Amino acid sequence: MLGLPLGLVHLLNALFVLAAVVAGPQGPWDDRGYARISAACFMSLCLSVIGGLITLIPSVRRAMGAWWFAPPLVLGVVAYVRMTTLA
């Protein structure tokens, strides 16, 4: 039961990361494209923090295990790298 909300957060986070990595601006003039990618990266970073905080709850950590820290960490790093290399 504890894995359902955490799994949904990770799934939504993965969709934002996928959108940020796959989508690209049409050119250097595409300010809207850059803004959309930055927004997707920001949302992914927020969801990574939420997923990490949910995993920090002692009852969740005991029931689910420590490996549930990996998805928000990996997705957050990918989103951060995408956001910093966007310019």
Side-chain angles (χ1 to χ4, degrees):
M1 187 64 171
L2 296 172
L4 184 65
L6 199 54
L8 290 175
V9 167
H10 294 327
L11 179 66
L12 187 60
N13 192 357
L15 290 174
F16 276 117
V17 169
L18 180 68
V21 171
V22 172
Q26 295 179 0
W29 48 265
D30 190 13
D31 293 334
R32 186 178 282 173
Y34 285 112
R36 288 178 181 157
I37 294 169
S38 295
C41 290
F42 178 74
M43 290 301 298
S44 176
L45 289 172
C46 290
L47 287 171
S48 292
V49 169
I50 290 170
L53 289 175
I54 290 173
T55 308
L56 277 176
I57 298 171
S59 61
V60 174
R61 204 172 52 234
R62 276 192 305 264
M64 304 296 288
W67 74 271
W68 279 84
F69 283 112
L73 181 66
V74 170
L75 292 170
V77 166
V78 170
Y80 179 75
V81 168
R82 176 66 172 152
M83 191 163 52
T84 57
T85 59
L86 188 60

Coordinates of all heavy atoms in Angstrom, one line a residue:
M1 N 0.8 -1.2 0.0 CA 0.0 0.0 0.0 C 0.9 1.3 0.0 O 0.5 2.3 -0.6 CB -0.9 0.0 1.2 CG -1.9 1.1 1.2 SD -3.0 0.8 -0.2 CE -4.2 2.0 0.2
L2 N 2.0 1.2 0.6 CA 2.9 2.4 0.7 C 3.6 2.6 -0.6 O 3.9 3.8 -0.9 CB 3.9 2.2 1.8 CG 3.4 2.1 3.2 CD1 4.6 1.7 4.1 CD2 2.8 3.4 3.7
G3 N 3.7 1.6 -1.4 CA 4.4 1.8 -2.7 C 3.6 2.4 -3.8 O 4.1 3.0 -4.7
L4 N 2.3 2.4 -3.7 CA 1.4 3.0 -4.7 C 1.6 4.5 -4.8 O 1.9 5.0 -6.0 CB 0.0 2.7 -4.4 CG -1.0 3.2 -5.5 CD1 -0.8 2.5 -6.8 CD2 -2.4 3.0 -5.0
P5 N 1.5 5.3 -3.8 CA 1.8 6.8 -4.0 C 3.2 7.1 -4.4 O 3.5 7.9 -5.2 CB 1.5 7.4 -2.6 CG 1.1 6.3 -1.7 CD 1.1 5.0 -2.4
L6 N 4.2 6.3 -3.8 CA 5.6 6.5 -4.2 C 5.8 6.1 -5.6 O 6.5 6.8 -6.4 CB 6.4 5.7 -3.2 CG 7.9 6.1 -3.1 CD1 8.0 7.5 -2.8 CD2 8.6 5.2 -2.1
G7 N 5.2 5.0 -6.1 CA 5.3 4.6 -7.5 C 4.7 5.7 -8.4 O 5.3 5.9 -9.5
L8 N 3.6 6.2 -8.1 CA 3.0 7.3 -8.9 C 3.8 8.5 -9.0 O 3.9 9.1 -10.1 CB 1.6 7.6 -8.4 CG 0.5 6.5 -8.5 CD1 -0.8 6.9 -7.9 CD2 0.3 6.2 -10.0
V9 N 4.4 8.9 -7.9 CA 5.3 10.1 -7.9 C 6.5 9.8 -8.8 O 6.9 10.7 -9.6 CB 5.8 10.4 -6.5 CG1 6.9 11.4 -6.5 CG2 4.6 11.0 -5.6
H10 N 7.1 8.6 -8.7 CA 8.2 8.3 -9.6 C 7.8 8.2 -11.0 O 8.6 8.6 -11.9 CB 8.9 7.0 -9.1 CG 9.5 7.0 -7.8 ND1 10.1 8.2 -7.3 CD2 9.7 6.1 -6.8 CE1 10.6 7.9 -6.1 NE2 10.3 6.7 -5.8
L11 N 6.7 7.6 -11.3 CA 6.2 7.6 -12.7 C 6.0 9.0 -13.3 O 6.4 9.2 -14.4 CB 4.9 6.8 -12.8 CG 4.3 6.6 -14.1 CD1 5.2 5.8 -15.0 CD2 2.9 6.0 -14.0
L12 N 5.3 9.8 -12.6 CA 5.1 11.2 -13.0 C 6.5 11.9 -13.2 O 6.7 12.6 -14.2 CB 4.2 12.0 -12.0 CG 3.8 13.3 -12.4 CD1 3.0 13.3 -13.7 CD2 3.0 14.0 -11.3
N13 N 7.4 11.7 -12.3 CA 8.7 12.2 -12.4 C 9.4 11.7 -13.6 O 10.1 12.5 -14.3 CB 9.5 11.9 -11.1 CG 10.8 12.6 -11.0 OD1 11.2 13.5 -11.8 ND2 11.5 12.4 -9.9
A14 N 9.3 10.5 -13.9 CA 10.0 9.9 -15.1 C 9.4 10.5 -16.4 O 10.1 10.7 -17.3 CB 9.8 8.4 -15.1
L15 N 8.1 10.8 -16.4 CA 7.5 11.4 -17.5 C 8.0 12.8 -17.8 O 8.2 13.2 -18.9 CB 5.9 11.4 -17.4 CG 5.3 10.0 -17.5 CD1 3.8 10.1 -17.2 CD2 5.5 9.4 -18.8
F16 N 8.2 13.6 -16.7 CA 8.7 14.9 -16.8 C 10.2 14.9 -17.3 O 10.6 15.7 -18.2 CB 8.7 15.7 -15.5 CG 7.3 16.3 -15.3 CD1 6.5 16.0 -14.2 CD2 6.9 17.3 -16.1 CE1 5.3 16.6 -14.0 CE2 5.7 17.9 -15.9 CZ 4.9 17.6 -14.8
V17 N 10.9 13.9 -16.8 CA 12.3 13.8 -17.3 C 12.4 13.4 -18.7 O 13.2 13.9 -19.5 CB 13.1 12.8 -16.4 CG1 14.5 12.4 -17.0 CG2 13.3 13.3 -15.0
L18 N 11.5 12.4 -19.1 CA 11.4 12.0 -20.5 C 11.1 13.2 -21.4 O 11.7 13.4 -22.5 CB 10.4 10.9 -20.7 CG 10.2 10.4 -22.1 CD1 11.5 9.6 -22.5 CD2 9.0 9.5 -22.2
A19 N 10.1 14.0 -21.0 CA 9.7 15.2 -21.8 C 10.9 16.2 -21.9 O 11.1 16.8 -23.0 CB 8.5 15.8 -21.2
A20 N 11.6 16.3 -20.8 CA 12.7 17.3 -20.8 C 13.9 16.8 -21.7 O 14.5 17.6 -22.4 CB 13.2 17.6 -19.4
V21 N 14.1 15.5 -21.7 CA 15.3 15.0 -22.5 C 14.9 14.8 -23.9 O 15.7 15.2 -24.8 CB 15.7 13.6 -21.8 CG1 16.7 13.0 -22.7 CG2 16.3 13.9 -20.5
V22 N 13.7 14.4 -24.3 CA 13.4 14.1 -25.6 C 13.1 15.4 -26.4 O 13.5 15.6 -27.5 CB 12.1 13.1 -25.7 CG1 11.6 13.0 -27.1 CG2 12.5 11.8 -25.2
A23 N 12.3 16.3 -25.8 CA 12.0 17.5 -26.4 C 13.2 18.5 -26.5 O 14.0 18.5 -25.5 CB 10.8 18.2 -25.7
G24 N 13.3 19.1 -27.6 CA 14.4 20.1 -27.7 C 13.8 21.3 -28.4 O 12.8 21.3 -29.1
P25 N 14.5 22.4 -28.1 CA 14.1 23.7 -28.8 C 14.3 23.6 -30.3 O 15.2 22.8 -30.8 CB 14.9 24.8 -28.2 CG 16.1 24.0 -27.6 CD 15.7 22.7 -27.3
Q26 N 13.5 24.3 -31.1 CA 13.6 24.2 -32.5 C 14.8 25.0 -33.0 O 15.3 24.7 -34.2 CB 12.3 24.7 -33.2 CG 11.2 23.9 -32.9 CD 9.9 24.4 -33.5 OE1 9.9 25.5 -34.2 NE2 8.8 23.7 -33.3
G27 N 15.3 25.8 -32.2 CA 16.5 26.6 -32.6 C 16.9 27.6 -31.5 O 16.2 27.6 -30.4
P28 N 18.0 28.3 -31.7 CA 18.4 29.2 -30.6 C 17.4 30.3 -30.3 O 17.4 31.0 -29.3 CB 19.7 29.8 -31.1 CG 19.9 29.3 -32.5 CD 18.9 28.3 -32.8
W29 N 16.5 30.6 -31.3 CA 15.5 31.6 -31.1 C 14.2 31.1 -30.4 O 13.4 31.9 -30.0 CB 15.0 32.1 -32.5 CG 14.7 30.9 -33.4 CD1 15.6 30.4 -34.3 CD2 13.5 30.2 -33.5 NE1 15.0 29.3 -35.0 CE2 13.7 29.2 -34.5 CE3 12.3 30.3 -32.9 CZ2 12.7 28.3 -34.8 CZ3 11.3 29.4 -33.3 CH2 11.5 28.4 -34.2
D30 N 14.1 29.8 -30.1 CA 12.9 29.3 -29.5 C 12.9 29.4 -28.0 O 13.2 28.5 -27.2 CB 12.8 27.8 -29.9 CG 11.5 27.2 -29.5 OD1 10.6 27.9 -29.2 OD2 11.4 25.9 -29.6
D31 N 12.5 30.6 -27.5 CA 12.5 30.9 -26.1 C 11.4 30.0 -25.4 O 11.6 29.6 -24.3 CB 12.2 32.3 -25.8 CG 13.4 33.2 -26.3 OD1 14.5 32.7 -26.3 OD2 13.2 34.4 -26.6
R32 N 10.3 29.8 -26.1 CA 9.2 29.0 -25.5 C 9.6 27.6 -25.3 O 9.3 27.0 -24.3 CB 8.0 29.1 -26.4 CG 6.8 28.4 -25.7 CD 5.6 28.5 -26.6 NE 5.0 29.9 -26.4 CZ 4.0 30.3 -27.2 NH1 3.5 29.6 -28.1 NH2 3.6 31.5 -27.0
G33 N 10.4 27.0 -26.2 CA 10.9 25.7 -26.1 C 11.9 25.5 -24.9 O 11.8 24.6 -24.1
Y34 N 12.8 26.5 -24.7 CA 13.7 26.5 -23.6 C 12.9 26.6 -22.3 O 13.2 26.0 -21.3 CB 14.7 27.7 -23.7 CG 15.8 27.4 -24.7 CD1 15.8 28.2 -25.9 CD2 16.7 26.5 -24.5 CE1 16.8 28.0 -26.8 CE2 17.7 26.2 -25.4 CZ 17.8 27.0 -26.6 OH 18.7 26.8 -27.5
A35 N 11.9 27.5 -22.3 CA 11.1 27.6 -21.0 C 10.3 26.4 -20.7 O 10.2 26.0 -19.5 CB 10.1 28.8 -21.2
R36 N 9.8 25.7 -21.7 CA 9.1 24.4 -21.4 C 10.0 23.3 -20.9 O 9.7 22.6 -19.9 CB 8.4 23.9 -22.7 CG 7.2 24.8 -23.1 CD 6.6 24.3 -24.3 NE 5.5 25.1 -24.7 CZ 5.0 25.2 -25.9 NH1 5.5 24.6 -26.9 NH2 4.0 26.0 -26.1
I37 N 11.2 23.3 -21.4 CA 12.2 22.3 -20.9 C 12.6 22.6 -19.5 O 12.7 21.7 -18.6 CB 13.4 22.2 -21.9 CG1 12.9 21.6 -23.2 CG2 14.5 21.3 -21.3 CD1 14.0 21.7 -24.3
S38 N 12.8 23.9 -19.2 CA 13.2 24.3 -17.9 C 12.1 24.0 -16.9 O 12.4 23.6 -15.8 CB 13.5 25.8 -17.9 OG 14.7 26.0 -18.6
A39 N 10.9 24.2 -17.3 CA 9.7 23.9 -16.4 C 9.6 22.4 -16.1 O 9.3 22.0 -15.0 CB 8.4 24.5 -17.1
A40 N 9.8 21.6 -17.2 CA 9.8 20.2 -16.9 C 10.9 19.7 -16.0 O 10.7 18.9 -15.1 CB 9.9 19.4 -18.3
C41 N 12.1 20.3 -16.2 CA 13.2 20.0 -15.3 C 12.9 20.4 -13.8 O 13.2 19.7 -12.9 CB 14.5 20.6 -15.8 SG 15.1 19.9 -17.3
F42 N 12.3 21.6 -13.7 CA 12.0 22.1 -12.4 C 10.9 21.2 -11.7 O 11.0 20.9 -10.5 CB 11.5 23.6 -12.4 CG 11.0 24.1 -11.1 CD1 12.0 24.5 -10.2 CD2 9.7 24.3 -10.8 CE1 11.6 25.0 -9.0 CE2 9.3 24.8 -9.6 CZ 10.3 25.1 -8.7
M43 N 9.9 20.8 -12.4 CA 8.9 19.9 -11.9 C 9.5 18.6 -11.5 O 9.1 18.0 -10.5 CB 7.7 19.7 -12.9 CG 6.9 21.0 -13.1 SD 6.1 21.5 -11.6 CE 5.1 20.1 -11.2
S44 N 10.4 18.1 -12.3 CA 11.1 16.8 -12.0 C 11.9 17.0 -10.7 O 11.9 16.0 -9.9 CB 12.0 16.4 -13.2 OG 12.7 15.2 -12.8
L45 N 12.6 18.1 -10.6 CA 13.4 18.3 -9.3 C 12.5 18.3 -8.1 O 12.8 17.8 -7.1 CB 14.2 19.5 -9.4 CG 15.4 19.4 -10.4 CD1 16.1 20.8 -10.6 CD2 16.4 18.4 -9.9
C46 N 11.3 19.0 -8.3 CA 10.3 19.1 -7.2 C 9.8 17.7 -6.8 O 9.7 17.3 -5.6 CB 9.2 20.0 -7.5 SG 9.7 21.7 -7.6
L47 N 9.5 16.9 -7.8 CA 9.0 15.5 -7.6 C 10.1 14.6 -7.0 O 9.8 13.7 -6.2 CB 8.4 15.0 -8.9 CG 7.1 15.5 -9.3 CD1 6.7 15.0 -10.7 CD2 6.0 15.2 -8.3
S48 N 11.3 14.9 -7.4 CA 12.4 14.1 -6.8 C 12.5 14.4 -5.3 O 12.7 13.5 -4.5 CB 13.7 14.4 -7.5 OG 13.7 13.9 -8.8
V49 N 12.4 15.7 -4.9 CA 12.4 16.0 -3.5 C 11.2 15.4 -2.8 O 11.4 14.9 -1.7 CB 12.4 17.6 -3.3 CG1 12.2 18.0 -1.9 CG2 13.7 18.1 -3.8
I50 N 10.0 15.5 -3.4 CA 8.9 14.9 -2.7 C 9.0 13.4 -2.6 O 8.7 12.8 -1.5 CB 7.6 15.2 -3.6 CG1 7.3 16.7 -3.4 CG2 6.4 14.4 -3.1 CD1 6.2 17.2 -4.4
G51 N 9.5 12.7 -3.6 CA 9.8 11.3 -3.5 C 10.8 10.9 -2.5 O 10.6 9.9 -1.7
G52 N 11.8 11.7 -2.4 CA 12.8 11.5 -1.3 C 12.3 11.7 0.1 O 12.6 10.9 1.0
L53 N 11.5 12.7 0.2 CA 10.9 13.0 1.5 C 9.9 11.9 1.9 O 9.8 11.5 3.1 CB 10.2 14.4 1.5 CG 11.2 15.6 1.5 CD1 10.4 16.9 1.4 CD2 12.1 15.6 2.7
I54 N 9.1 11.4 1.0 CA 8.2 10.3 1.3 C 9.0 9.1 1.7 O 8.6 8.4 2.7 CB 7.3 10.0 0.1 CG1 6.3 11.1 -0.1 CG2 6.6 8.6 0.3 CD1 5.5 10.9 -1.4
T55 N 10.1 8.8 1.1 CA 10.9 7.7 1.4 C 11.6 7.8 2.7 O 11.9 6.8 3.4 CB 12.0 7.4 0.3 OG1 11.3 7.4 -1.0 CG2 12.7 6.1 0.5
L56 N 11.8 9.1 3.2 CA 12.5 9.3 4.5 C 11.6 9.0 5.7 O 12.0 8.8 6.8 CB 12.9 10.8 4.6 CG 14.2 11.1 4.0 CD1 14.5 12.6 4.0 CD2 15.4 10.3 4.6
I57 N 10.3 8.9 5.4 CA 9.3 8.6 6.5 C 9.7 7.2 7.1 O 9.9 6.2 6.3 CB 7.9 8.6 6.0 CG1 7.5 10.0 5.5 CG2 6.9 8.1 7.1 CD1 6.2 10.0 4.8
P58 N 9.9 7.1 8.4 CA 10.4 5.8 8.9 C 9.6 4.6 8.6 O 10.2 3.5 8.3 CB 10.4 6.0 10.4 CG 10.5 7.5 10.6 CD 9.8 8.1 9.4
S59 N 8.3 4.7 8.6 CA 7.5 3.5 8.3 C 7.6 3.1 6.8 O 7.6 1.9 6.5 CB 6.0 3.8 8.6 OG 5.5 4.9 7.8
V60 N 7.8 4.0 5.9 CA 8.0 3.7 4.5 C 9.3 3.1 4.3 O 9.5 2.1 3.6 CB 7.8 5.0 3.6 CG1 8.2 4.7 2.2 CG2 6.4 5.6 3.8
R61 N 10.4 3.7 5.0 CA 11.7 3.2 4.8 C 11.8 1.7 5.3 O 12.5 0.9 4.7 CB 12.7 4.1 5.6 CG 14.1 4.0 5.0 CD 15.0 5.0 5.6 NE 14.9 5.0 7.1 CZ 14.7 6.1 7.8 NH1 14.4 7.3 7.3 NH2 14.7 6.0 9.1
R62 N 11.1 1.4 6.4 CA 11.2 0.0 7.0 C 10.5 -0.9 6.0 O 10.9 -2.0 5.8 CB 10.5 0.0 8.4 CG 11.5 0.4 9.5 CD 10.8 0.0 10.8 NE 9.5 0.6 11.0 CZ 9.3 1.8 11.6 NH1 10.3 2.4 12.1 NH2 8.1 2.3 11.7
A63 N 9.3 -0.5 5.5 CA 8.5 -1.4 4.7 C 9.0 -1.6 3.3 O 9.0 -2.6 2.7 CB 7.1 -0.9 4.7
M64 N 9.5 -0.5 2.7 CA 9.9 -0.5 1.3 C 11.4 -0.8 1.1 O 11.8 -1.3 0.0 CB 9.6 0.9 0.7 CG 8.1 1.3 0.8 SD 7.0 0.2 0.0 CE 7.3 0.6 -1.7
G65 N 12.2 -0.4 2.0 CA 13.7 -0.6 1.8 C 14.4 0.7 1.3 O 13.7 1.7 0.9
A66 N 15.7 0.7 1.4 CA 16.5 1.8 1.1 C 16.6 2.0 -0.4 O 17.0 3.1 -0.9 CB 17.8 1.7 1.7
W67 N 16.4 1.0 -1.2 CA 16.6 1.2 -2.7 C 15.6 2.1 -3.3 O 15.8 2.6 -4.4 CB 16.6 -0.2 -3.4 CG 15.2 -0.8 -3.5 CD1 14.6 -1.6 -2.6 CD2 14.3 -0.7 -4.6 NE1 13.4 -2.0 -3.1 CE2 13.2 -1.4 -4.3 CE3 14.4 0.0 -5.8 CZ2 12.1 -1.5 -5.2 CZ3 13.3 0.0 -6.6 CH2 12.2 -0.8 -6.3
W68 N 14.5 2.5 -2.6 CA 13.6 3.4 -3.1 C 14.1 4.8 -3.1 O 13.5 5.8 -3.7 CB 12.3 3.4 -2.3 CG 11.4 2.2 -2.7 CD1 11.5 1.0 -2.3 CD2 10.3 2.3 -3.7 NE1 10.5 0.2 -2.9 CE2 9.8 1.0 -3.7 CE3 9.8 3.3 -4.4 CZ2 8.7 0.7 -4.6 CZ3 8.7 3.0 -5.2 CH2 8.2 1.7 -5.3
F69 N 15.3 5.1 -2.6 CA 16.0 6.4 -2.7 C 16.6 6.5 -4.1 O 16.9 7.6 -4.5 CB 17.1 6.5 -1.7 CG 16.6 6.8 -0.3 CD1 16.7 5.9 0.7 CD2 16.0 8.1 0.0 CE1 16.2 6.2 2.0 CE2 15.5 8.4 1.2 CZ 15.6 7.4 2.2
A70 N 16.8 5.4 -4.8 CA 17.5 5.5 -6.1 C 16.7 6.2 -7.2 O 17.3 7.1 -7.9 CB 17.9 4.1 -6.6
P71 N 15.4 5.9 -7.4 CA 14.7 6.6 -8.5 C 14.7 8.1 -8.4 O 15.0 8.8 -9.3 CB 13.3 6.0 -8.4 CG 13.5 4.7 -7.8 CD 14.6 4.8 -6.8
P72 N 14.4 8.7 -7.2 CA 14.4 10.2 -7.2 C 15.8 10.8 -7.3 O 15.9 11.8 -7.9 CB 13.8 10.5 -5.8 CG 13.8 9.3 -5.0 CD 13.9 8.2 -5.9
L73 N 16.8 10.0 -6.8 CA 18.1 10.5 -7.0 C 18.6 10.5 -8.4 O 19.1 11.5 -9.0 CB 19.1 9.7 -6.1 CG 20.5 10.1 -6.2 CD1 20.7 11.5 -5.5 CD2 21.4 9.1 -5.5
V74 N 18.3 9.4 -9.1 CA 18.7 9.3 -10.6 C 17.9 10.3 -11.4 O 18.5 11.0 -12.2 CB 18.6 7.9 -11.1 CG1 18.7 7.8 -12.6 CG2 19.5 7.0 -10.4
L75 N 16.6 10.4 -11.2 CA 15.8 11.3 -12.0 C 16.1 12.7 -11.7 O 16.1 13.6 -12.6 CB 14.3 11.0 -11.8 CG 13.8 9.6 -12.3 CD1 12.4 9.3 -11.8 CD2 13.9 9.6 -13.8
G76 N 16.4 13.0 -10.5 CA 16.8 14.4 -10.1 C 18.1 14.8 -10.7 O 18.3 15.9 -11.2
V77 N 19.1 13.9 -10.8 CA 20.4 14.2 -11.4 C 20.2 14.4 -12.9 O 20.8 15.3 -13.4 CB 21.4 13.1 -11.0 CG1 22.6 13.2 -11.9 CG2 21.8 13.1 -9.6
V78 N 19.4 13.6 -13.5 CA 19.2 13.7 -15.0 C 18.6 15.1 -15.3 O 19.0 15.8 -16.2 CB 18.4 12.5 -15.5 CG1 18.0 12.8 -17.0 CG2 19.2 11.3 -15.4
A79 N 17.6 15.4 -14.5 CA 16.9 16.7 -14.7 C 17.8 17.9 -14.4 O 17.8 18.8 -15.2 CB 15.6 16.8 -13.8
Y80 N 18.6 17.8 -13.4 CA 19.5 18.9 -13.1 C 20.6 19.0 -14.2 O 20.8 20.2 -14.6 CB 20.2 18.6 -11.8 CG 21.2 19.7 -11.4 CD1 20.7 20.9 -10.9 CD2 22.6 19.5 -11.5 CE1 21.6 21.9 -10.6 CE2 23.4 20.5 -11.2 CZ 23.0 21.7 -10.8 OH 23.9 22.7 -10.5
V81 N 21.1 17.9 -14.7 CA 22.1 18.0 -15.8 C 21.4 18.6 -17.0 O 22.0 19.4 -17.7 CB 22.7 16.6 -16.0 CG1 23.5 16.6 -17.3 CG2 23.6 16.2 -14.9
R82 N 20.2 18.2 -17.4 CA 19.5 18.7 -18.5 C 19.3 20.2 -18.4 O 19.4 21.0 -19.3 CB 18.2 18.0 -18.7 CG 17.4 18.5 -19.9 CD 18.0 18.3 -21.2 NE 17.1 18.7 -22.3 CZ 17.4 19.1 -23.4 NH1 18.7 19.2 -23.7 NH2 16.6 19.4 -24.3
M83 N 18.9 20.6 -17.2 CA 18.6 22.0 -17.0 C 19.9 22.9 -17.1 O 19.9 24.0 -17.6 CB 17.9 22.3 -15.6 CG 17.4 23.6 -15.5 SD 16.2 23.8 -14.1 CE 17.0 23.1 -12.7
T84 N 21.0 22.4 -16.5 CA 22.2 23.2 -16.6 C 22.9 23.2 -17.9 O 23.6 24.1 -18.3 CB 23.2 22.7 -15.5 OG1 23.5 21.3 -15.8 CG2 22.7 22.9 -14.1
T85 N 22.7 22.1 -18.7 CA 23.3 22.1 -20.1 C 22.4 22.6 -21.1 O 22.7 22.6 -22.3 CB 23.7 20.7 -20.4 OG1 22.6 19.8 -20.4 CG2 24.8 20.1 -19.5
L86 N 21.3 23.2 -20.7 CA 20.3 23.7 -21.7 C 20.7 25.0 -22.4 O 20.5 25.1 -23.6 CB 18.9 23.9 -21.0 CG 17.7 24.2 -21.9 CD1 17.5 23.1 -22.9 CD2 16.5 24.5 -21.0
A87 N 21.4 25.8 -21.7 CA 21.8 27.1 -22.3 C 22.7 27.1 -23.4 O 23.3 26.3 -24.0 CB 22.4 28.0 -21.2

